[in-house]
Amino acid sequence: MSNLLVIPARYDSSRFPGKPLALFEDFNGKKISLIEKTWQLALNLNSFDKKIIATDDIRIKDFCEGFGAEVCMTSNDLRNGSERVAETLNLQDKSYKVIVNLQGDAPLTPIWVIEGLVKELEKSNYEVATPVLKCDQGTLNKLISDKKAGRIGATTVVFDKNQKALYFSKELIPHINQKNLKNNLSSVYHHIGVYAYKSDALKAYIKFPQGNLEKQEGLEQLRFVENDISIKCVISTLRGNEFWELNNPSDIPIIEKILKKND
């Protein structure tokens, strides 16, 4: 069996309608859409036999086919990216060992993080894996700034000694003790919105009802946690690069700045 990469792309985002088609300035000074930048990232990955964009919106389909992407049309009543990836898997004519959900709001995700995630899941007893980054002071400042401004931004996670996820939240978890913060002892981990699933776990996911935690936080991965499917948090490194996600329009200049710096 081989591996499948799916980029779920929804037009009607509650916080940022039309987000996949949002334009920002690339490192070379040219404008590029979020979805095309994510597709370019996917093309540089070697662990996958098939790469596909999954959407329910004809505008996104036409746009993506315009730059050469393969597109799968999915139902318009799906509630999140994992459901869209699961439906895409069910529409394929072959089986896949590992399926990766590369969400389109994280085009700054390093290649080695995604490739490492696949390798980690292939050798693991876990059914789902996702990358996490220990927050440096700059990232913590951005998280704190978003919270103070009332913006729903990045996700944080806590996990046990075996790196099994205990909880994900749009709040800052664990609580930041100000004394520890001043001494750079914070243990906040930033969750990168990429998921690797084994096929059976993903097929089970779409059959589970939404739980209260998933609904309250608006985080799809909590459905696995609420149904006792373990998620491994793979601690990743940026190797000197910076990372940020496009959650709100105010994130565009941040990503533009990082693109120019990383390049």
Side-chain angles (χ1 to χ4, degrees):
M1 289 192 294
S2 50
N3 298 333
L4 171 69
L5 182 138
V6 181
I7 303 171
R10 183 169 62 102
Y11 191 91
D12 294 323
S13 168
S14 58
R15 296 196 301 272
F16 194 165
K19 182 167 66 170
L21 305 182
L23 296 175
F24 57 91
E25 191 173 285
D26 208 346
F27 62 87
N28 55 14
K30 295 181 179 179
K31 291 288 186 178
I32 188 170
S33 68
L34 179 64
I35 191 67
E36 185 172 2
K37 187 66 178 176
T38 307
W39 181 251
Q40 289 178 354
L41 169 62
L43 291 178
N44 287 316
L45 297 168
N46 297 317
S47 297
F48 304 94
D49 305 271
K50 187 171 186 177
K51 301 159 187 176
I52 192 167
I53 293 172
T55 187
D56 61 351
D57 193 283
I58 192 66
R59 291 165 291 187
I60 293 177
K61 176 180 183 292
D62 290 345
F63 185 82
C64 293
E65 288 180 340
F67 57 75
E70 180 176 351
V71 180
C72 176
M73 291 298 289
T74 56
S75 306
N76 58 16
D77 58 352
L78 300 176
R79 291 165 290 192
N80 59 49
S82 290
E83 289 191 0
R84 200 167 307 283
V85 174
E87 183 171 292
T88 302
L89 174 64
N90 289 334
L91 292 171
Q92 304 308 302
D93 56 6
K94 63 178 292 186
S95 298
Y96 291 92
K97 181 179 181 181
V98 172
I99 303 93
V100 165
N101 171 353
L102 176 60
Q103 300 195 73
D105 57 5
L108 296 175
T109 307
I111 289 172
W112 60 85
V113 170
I114 302 168
E115 299 280 10
L117 190 68
V118 173
K119 292 177 182 177
E120 186 69 33
L121 190 62
E122 285 177 334
K123 69 181 182 182
S124 172
N125 291 325
Y126 281 84
E127 294 297 309
V128 183
T130 195
V132 300
L133 300 168
K134 187 168 184 179
C135 288
D136 58 19
Q137 192 61 53
T139 302
L140 270 178
N141 289 341
K142 290 189 184 81
L143 294 173
I144 293 168
S145 177
D146 273 349
K147 184 172 177 56
K148 288 181 178 178
R151 291 189 293 266
I152 300 175
T155 300
T156 56
V157 59
V158 290
F159 46 86
D160 69 12
K161 64 181 181 180
N162 297 314
Q163 296 170 232
K164 174 185 173 182
L166 300 173
Y167 196 66
F168 297 84
S169 183
K170 285 295 185 181
E171 294 290 335
L172 275 174
I173 55 173
H175 168 72
I176 300 176
N177 181 293
Q178 291 302 311
K179 180 179 179 181
N180 286 345
L181 183 59
K182 289 178 182 178
N183 291 293
N184 200 29
L185 297 175
S186 172
S187 58
V188 176
Y189 280 83
H190 182 184
H191 172 236
I192 299 178
V194 179
Y195 304 96
Y197 326 88
K198 290 180 180 174
S199 182
D200 287 346
L202 187 56
K203 290 179 177 179
Y205 179 91
I206 203 168
K207 297 177 182 178
F208 293 138
Q210 280 188 307
N212 290 331
L213 297 178
E214 179 189 354
K215 291 178 183 177
Q216 187 162 319
E217 290 274 6
L219 294 174
E220 62 201 81
Q221 64 270 37
L222 287 172
R223 194 182 307 181
F224 286 116
V225 176
E226 292 185 88
N227 286 281
D228 202 28
I229 293 181
S230 299
I231 301 175
K232 181 165 188 179
C233 293
V234 179
I235 300 173
S236 305
T237 60
L238 295 177
R239 302 180 186 175
N241 287 351
E242 291 186 33
F243 175 82
W244 197 247
E245 299 158 331
L246 186 60
N247 292 299
N248 301 285
S250 59
D251 293 320
I252 290 178
I254 296 174
I255 289 179
E256 289 177 332
K257 183 177 179 181
I258 294 174
L259 273 171
K260 294 171 184 176
K261 184 176 180 179
N262 286 353
D263 182 66

